[in-house]
Amino acid sequence: MGARVGSFRKIARDGLLAIVLVATFGVRAIELGQPIVENYVGRQVPTAMVARNLERGSGPLHPRLDTAPWPNYFLVEPPLYQLGVVAIRRVTRLGLEPSGRLLSAMATVAATWGIFVLTARGAGRRAGLLAAGAFAAFPLTIRYGRAFQPDAAMLGAVVAGLACWDHRRYAGGWVLLAIGIAMKILVAPLIMVLALTAPRGRRRSLMVATATAVLPVMLWYAWAAHLVAAGSGSRASADNGAIWIGMLVPESWLRADSWKLAARFAAIRSFTPIGTVLAAAGLIVARRRAGFWRAWGLAGSFLLILMISKIHHEYYFLIVAPAFAVGTGLALDRIARVRGGRVLFPMAAVGMLAMAGWQSRGTWRTPPEWSGLAEAARAVEASTGPGACVVAPEALLFAADRRGCRLEWTEPAARRAAGEWGEAGVVADVRGPIDLVDFYRSRGARYFADLGDRRDDPRRLALHEAVRQRYKVIIDRPEVLIVDLESVPLARVLPHAN
């Protein structure tokens, strides 16, 4: 009889794990067809451009963007995520954007499973289930667990790889770790720190695995350096490398605004205030069961401090999400065991879930500033030829399936965009968005296109008015403005141009 009861409990617990995993996927699969313009658009759209060009035959060694100057290679990381998106699209026959969201959702499920496996081994199945549930519910993992970018896929590969390694599935674990590191090489130091905290019998093998798993991505960056050194096309990759080196300058750690933003992300926006308090309590109180995860949290926090100048990219906090999830699970498990736990446990768990749902509610809605994107894209497709060079926001270029020049709204961004052409002496002439449009016109851009006027965006209003006065308007509707740049002789735009 006792064996039957134990078997029934195991089946019930396995059923709970299945429910958690299905819910993890289901929540992120809502609105798969939503345009990829929520959260950090500047990461999603370039990733999608590379995926579409891979599907059209560009090849993984030349991951191309659709923004000039060409060839414009996206060398931030190997295009493994994009290759996965293309594979899913071919199997499912879904569109490219839904395929990307689907891959991120599947990767988040893998991370949720890995957290359960790693936690249950040392802290019990209930703590593992609670940790997995917390990870699935965090607003951060909901936002970026359905985004068209490789961060969720990186985390899924790394956590599942560590879980495989913990269960002596060494070949699968090594492959997953290599894939995760290739998607985000910043995670490599974190895994090395975790190897140092592994049980003695597995410490050396995990350190060797991490060291060798870095080799494939290092070959990629050697190839990327070769492409950059060739000097043709855009200087964006070289500029991006300089930005990453510059972030290590101590001056960037002294900006109060960056620290305030980091505190807001960690304490409120990413994990909910209740989740943050529970995570801290769980990692501190559960000493024996939380050593590995404390090391994860500390190492991940140190990486975030190093990247403080880029902390406005909220998705970097995914690095510490597993540690926060396990801390939350351990705290909830401890609450369930104490006197009064029958009351305190549901209050804490339901409170965190309710807060997570409230904070995540906007994830499935297209932001108001992009509400007219589909209509604008159709107008651009109808008004411009497939080979025309269009000055437009990256998201509009992607939605309209056009190649062109990236539109920017601030003076620093406009000067940086002009500098990517690698032409000495031209950047000084670009003092704002209209100068950037004129510069693009002198380099062969045929059309200007943007979403319609936004009364709450004075920079866009000013640019639109300047473009209307200088060039010939083709379409001027509430949802889109399209202008013919070639209607004005080049000498009138840039008198000094040849």
Side-chain angles (χ1 to χ4, degrees), residues 469-488:
Q469 293 179 4
R470 189 166 302 191
Y471 296 105
K472 179 183 177 181
V473 175
I474 300 175
I475 296 177
D476 194 351
R477 298 200 298 258
E479 69 273 11
V480 65
L481 172 65
I482 303 177
V483 171
D484 183 355
L485 298 178
E486 289 190 347
S487 61
V488 176

Side-chain angles (χ1 to χ4, degrees), residues 80-369:
L80 297 178
Y81 174 82
Q82 294 91 328
L83 288 170
V85 172
V86 172
I88 288 177
R89 172 172 163 77
R90 290 173 177 170
V91 170
T92 63
R93 302 296 181 183
L94 291 171
L96 195 68
E97 293 168 77
S99 298
R101 293 195 184 279
L102 188 60
L103 178 55
S104 291
M106 293 165 61
T108 306
V109 172
T112 305
W113 171 82
I115 287 172
F116 167 79
V117 170
L118 290 168
T119 308
R121 184 179 182 87
R125 293 181 63 85
R126 181 169 63 181
L129 285 169
L130 291 170
F135 180 82
F138 283 153
L140 177 71
T141 65
I142 290 176
R143 292 188 193 105
Y144 295 100
R146 61 187 301 274
F148 202 122
Q149 58 188 80
D151 299 85
M154 173 276 294
L155 197 61
V158 166
V159 177
L162 289 172
C164 289
W165 199 268
D166 191 60
H167 280 66
R168 301 184 186 278
R169 302 294 190 266
Y170 296 128
W174 185 90
V175 170
L176 288 170
L177 287 176
I179 291 174
I181 291 171
M183 288 185 177
K184 284 282 181 179
I185 195 171
L186 286 171
V187 79
L190 170 64
I191 301 174
M192 188 63 72
V193 171
L194 296 179
L196 294 173
T197 65
R200 289 186 178 182
R202 302 181 191 178
R203 187 177 302 169
R204 180 177 298 178
S205 63
L206 185 54
M207 291 182 67
V208 172
T210 304
T212 55
V214 174
L215 296 179
V217 74
M218 295 308 296
L219 292 175
W220 162 262
Y221 283 114
W223 168 251
H226 166 71
L227 289 180
V228 171
S232 60
S234 174
R235 287 182 47 83
S237 294
D239 292 345
N240 188 64
I243 291 172
W244 273 99
I245 294 173
M247 82 177 186
L248 300 177
V249 177
E251 295 175 0
S252 62
W253 305 335
L254 302 178
R255 297 170 186 161
D257 291 343
S258 295
W259 289 100
K260 290 178 182 177
L261 188 61
R264 176 173 172 265
F265 282 162
I268 300 174
R269 182 175 164 85
S270 297
F271 310 109
T272 78
I274 295 176
T276 301
V277 171
L278 289 173
L283 293 175
I284 293 172
V285 173
R287 295 182 180 179
R288 290 185 180 180
R289 300 184 294 173
F292 176 83
W293 299 104
R294 274 201 299 271
W296 187 310
L298 291 172
S301 298
F302 181 71
L303 283 175
L304 290 174
I305 291 172
L306 283 179
M307 298 185 295
I308 194 70
S309 64
K310 296 178 73 67
I311 209 68
H312 56 284
H313 298 168
E314 184 190 18
Y315 51 81
Y316 285 125
F317 280 85
L318 285 170
I319 292 175
V320 296
F324 272 70
V326 174
T328 302
L330 292 174
L332 289 172
D333 183 52
R334 182 70 174 266
I335 291 172
R337 296 174 186 272
V338 301
R339 181 179 298 179
R342 291 186 177 182
V343 176
L344 294 175
F345 175 80
M347 287 178 60
V350 173
M352 196 199 83
L353 287 174
M355 189 169 289
W358 175 258
Q359 290 184 221
S360 305
R361 68 191 185 283
T363 302
W364 299 273
R365 293 199 304 263
T366 299
E369 61 268 25

Side-chain angles (χ1 to χ4, degrees), residues 30-44:
I30 298 172
E31 294 291 340
L32 279 179
Q34 177 185 347
I36 52 172
V37 289
E38 85 285 1
N39 299 314
Y40 196 66
V41 181
R43 191 63 174 89
Q44 293 196 76

Side-chain angles (χ1 to χ4, degrees), residues 38-63:
E38 85 285 1
N39 299 314
Y40 196 66
V41 181
R43 191 63 174 89
Q44 293 196 76
V45 170
T47 307
M49 284 182 175
V50 170
R52 186 160 63 189
N53 286 325
L54 282 174
E55 186 179 33
R56 292 173 176 175
S58 66
L61 293 179
H62 297 87

